[in-house]
Amino acid sequence: MEDWSRGLDWVQWLLSGIRRRRDHLHFLPAGGGPMRQVRADWDVFVSQRLPEVLTPQLMRAWQAVLHNDLNALQHADHAFSGRLDGSEAEASKEAGRLLFKATRQARYQGVLGHYRRACESGQSPGHFLTAWAAVAHFFQLSLTNLVSEYLRLEWSLATRAQVDAALPVDLARLVADLLKPQLAEIRVVA
């Protein structure tokens, strides 16, 4: 459990381009305040924005990819655009583009490759969460790893200049709490 809580090193490498080039994705703490303010902003993010908007998007995208349904994936991507303001949407699309760049040379991409081409041709926005679900599925990450690594990325972007930057929550419990209401709606077909 301790190893899991630190994250997957190769996933950290995969997301390193986003860490280098983006200052945030969907979590943007109030301007450069002390760590206690960042943690307070994180608590609001975790209790509101994450369960209301972001986790449902991850779940819709994950479900579409799981069923190899490019149309559903693109539909989820377009619908997500309506849930974001202009600057958040642009940040999300840029992070999606960076993620696509990191995975471009992989072989036999399936729905990830089709989705990338749809984004590149302007048929889909290419939001990070949608792209991340496709990439995570391609690399056979579990749903819990998908959510956990996304949360680690958000936290690391927000706290890169902070000295005491350990995640302020029990990540396993947070992921379980986020997924519990969503899992009731999922129907997995074997």
Side-chain angles (χ1 to χ4, degrees):
M1 189 60 125
E2 186 178 320
D3 287 342
W4 176 82
S5 69
R6 281 181 290 189
L8 303 170
D9 290 340
W10 67 270
V11 175
Q12 301 298 313
W13 172 85
L14 182 65
L15 299 173
S16 65
I18 295 167
R19 277 191 190 82
R20 281 192 310 273
R21 292 177 181 88
R22 303 298 314 155
D23 60 349
H24 75 284
L25 291 173
H26 300 285
F27 173 58
L28 182 60
M35 193 61 182
R36 70 178 178 279
Q37 181 60 51
V38 174
R39 289 178 192 275
D41 291 346
W42 179 258
D43 289 343
V44 172
F45 173 76
V46 164
S47 66
Q48 295 174 12
R49 189 80 172 147
L50 192 57
E52 293 170 8
V53 177
L54 304 174
T55 304
Q57 174 61 18
L58 275 170
M59 297 299 290
R60 280 189 293 276
W62 176 261
Q63 191 71 2
V65 173
L66 191 64
H67 293 298
N68 203 27
D69 189 340
L70 179 61
N71 288 331
L73 188 63
Q74 288 181 261
H75 179 74
D77 205 27
H78 283 288
F80 189 52
S81 287
R83 306 287 315 260
L84 306 175
D85 67 30
S87 63
E88 188 179 15
E90 287 309 309
S92 177
K93 290 187 280 188
E94 176 60 19
R97 188 189 67 72
L98 291 169
L99 186 57
F100 284 146
K101 185 177 177 181
T103 59
R104 180 170 303 287
Q105 299 304 318
R107 299 177 127 200
Y108 312 113
Q109 294 184 24
V111 74
L112 170 61
H114 296 298
Y115 173 60
R116 173 188 283 112
R117 284 188 290 284
C119 294
E120 289 171 349
S121 68
Q123 297 173 19
S124 201
H127 289 291
F128 174 78
L129 293 179
T130 314
W132 177 231
V135 168
H137 184 267
F138 174 76
F139 285 108
Q140 300 178 355
L141 289 177
S142 69
L143 184 57
T144 54
N145 284 126
L146 165 83
V147 176
S148 299
E149 296 301 330
Y150 164 66
L151 291 172
R152 281 189 189 91
L153 177 62
E154 286 282 16
W155 182 254
S156 70
L157 289 172
T159 61
R160 71 177 66 197
Q162 303 288 343
V163 175
D164 180 25
L167 264 167
V169 297
D170 175 356
L171 189 58
R173 181 180 305 279
L174 174 58
V175 171
D177 290 346
L178 288 169
L179 294 181
K180 192 179 301 179
Q182 305 296 324
L183 290 176
E185 298 177 20
I186 288 184
R187 291 175 183 81
V188 177
V189 177

